[in-house]
Amino acid sequence: MDILKLSIDWAKAEVFSAKITLLIGMLFLVAAIGFWQLGKTAVAKAFIWPVLVAGILITVVSAGLYFTNKPRITQFKEDYTANAKAFIQTETDRTAKSQNDFTIVFKVLPLIIIAAALLIIFVDIPIWRAIGSTAIALMTVLMLIDSNTSARNAAYHRQLLKTATL
């Protein structure tokens, strides 16, 4: 398999993922506007700020994914052409580090979800329940994004390792 094509396809998939993530962030922002315009109860009004913050955070994650991976599409070709062996080693090291980072993320996000659930159960104040509910939704979205990114990263890493041993 052509490792350059694989690398470029991986980066393009990450850019596509960033666009989907942006769409999810925009949905959170629209929901915040909806709560602001249509919310009549104290609970509905309590969701405005937490959902707005979550939408902004997801949008920032999207921008990070996009602006990190979009330049890689052209940079990969230059790096591979300059020194294929060094390119494969650099990418192998980077993907291995990313896999380690994902193991931490997949331990921390569920802990945050548990803490948010406990907040909902034990605190009977609308804003805190809204924060807890929104935190659960945000962490779930982040786990969805990261699980897809992790799977792509792991497959890419395996292909890099196969290429490095050839």
Side-chain angles (χ1 to χ4, degrees):
M1 174 171 272
D2 180 20
I3 199 67
L4 178 59
K5 181 183 178 335
L6 179 72
S7 299
I8 290 171
D9 288 347
W10 173 84
K12 286 179 179 178
E14 288 296 306
V15 169
F16 178 76
S17 180
K19 292 174 183 177
I20 297 299
T21 304
L22 176 63
L23 178 63
I24 293 168
M26 293 296 121
L27 290 173
F28 269 78
L29 294 174
V30 167
I33 292 168
F35 281 121
W36 175 52
Q37 290 296 309
L38 303 172
K40 303 293 182 218
T41 66
V43 173
K45 290 178 182 181
F47 272 95
I48 296 168
W49 286 105
V51 173
L52 179 66
V53 169
I56 291 168
L57 289 173
I58 293 171
T59 303
V60 168
V61 167
S62 170
L65 282 169
Y66 183 84
F67 291 114
T68 300
N69 291 300
K70 182 69 173 171
R72 285 184 175 148
I73 295 170
T74 55
Q75 189 64 40
F76 279 167
K77 186 173 184 176
E78 294 170 16
D79 292 348
Y80 184 82
T81 304
N83 186 342
K85 212 169 189 71
F87 169 78
I88 292 169
Q89 185 59 50
T90 301
E91 280 299 287
T92 302
D93 293 345
R94 186 186 61 74
T95 55
K97 182 188 178 307
S98 292
Q99 284 306 110
N100 288 333
D101 293 346
F102 284 124
T103 58
I104 295 168
V105 166
F106 290 127
K107 290 177 183 171
V108 171
L109 294 181
L111 291 175
I112 295 171
I113 289 172
I114 291 168
L118 292 173
L119 186 67
I120 293 168
I121 293 169
F122 292 113
V123 179
D124 194 23
I125 300 170
I127 187 67
W128 287 106
R129 285 193 166 180
I131 290 169
S133 298
T134 304
I136 291 170
L138 175 62
M139 296 306 125
T140 303
V141 166
L142 292 176
M143 284 178 50
L144 173 72
I145 294 164
D146 285 346
S147 64
N148 284 309
T149 302
S150 176
R152 264 193 310 274
N153 189 69
Y156 179 43
H157 183 74
R158 283 190 301 275
Q159 289 297 324
L160 288 166
L161 290 173
K162 283 182 189 175
T163 303
T165 58
L166 296 177

